[in-house]
Amino acid sequence: MSTNATRIAGLALGSAAIVLGGSAAAAATTTLGVDGRAAQGCRTSITATTSTSNPMDMEFYDNETYLGRVQVTNQQGKMQARIDWTPADTGDHTIIARAVGSYIAPEDQVTTLNVRVVSAADLGSSCLPLALG
């Protein structure tokens, strides 16, 4: 990662951003967010929002586990990619979004978000997080 990077990290309800400059390739800012509370066995969504309108896909990872690849599209004026995620374990997870197929500075291609996954009770039609963690 470039030494001129500024990084802001958050938990499941927060976001992370990497802002970089000074390269010949197009600079971009990408933020990551998790919808609601990340709870074990409960489906939620991860959204990557990017500042560039260059055509690209985003690959998503939970720690080292590949979650999938999604095309970035215009969602009400925001360039976004969204993927469903069902965490298998509790504890700290690093969500990674990697831009693919676009002319973006290499330093801007990867964005991370630290998320704490809590225990949950599966109530059939919904999940109930059991911890505030």
Side-chain angles (χ1 to χ4, degrees):
M1 184 174 293
S2 173
T3 57
N4 63 342
T6 301
R7 184 170 177 199
I8 304 165
L11 291 178
L13 297 176
S15 62
I18 297 177
V19 180
L20 297 151
S23 74
T29 301
T30 300
T31 59
L32 280 172
V34 175
D35 293 342
R37 172 120 231 178
Q40 180 183 21
C42 299
R43 190 178 78 187
T44 189
S45 295
I46 302 167
T47 303
T49 304
T50 184
S51 64
T52 182
S53 59
N54 293 340
M56 74 173 96
D57 292 344
M58 285 285 177
E59 289 182 342
F60 292 91
Y61 297 83
D62 173 5
N63 296 322
E64 300 290 322
T65 303
Y66 179 75
L67 299 174
R69 185 172 176 158
V70 179
Q71 184 176 15
V72 174
T73 59
N74 188 325
Q75 301 295 318
Q76 300 175 353
K78 296 180 181 178
M79 299 304 292
Q80 296 182 323
R82 178 183 294 254
I83 193 166
D84 287 338
W85 175 47
T86 304
D89 346 303
T90 60
D92 294 330
H93 292 245
T94 300
I95 303 301
I96 302 164
R98 185 173 72 84
V100 178
S102 184
Y103 184 66
I104 296 177
E107 309 85 55
D108 292 342
Q109 292 177 354
V110 176
T111 302
T112 62
L113 174 65
N114 297 318
V115 177
R116 165 94 17 117
V117 176
V118 299
S119 298
D122 185 351
L123 304 176
S125 61
S126 64
C127 271
L128 177 65
L130 299 176
L132 298 176

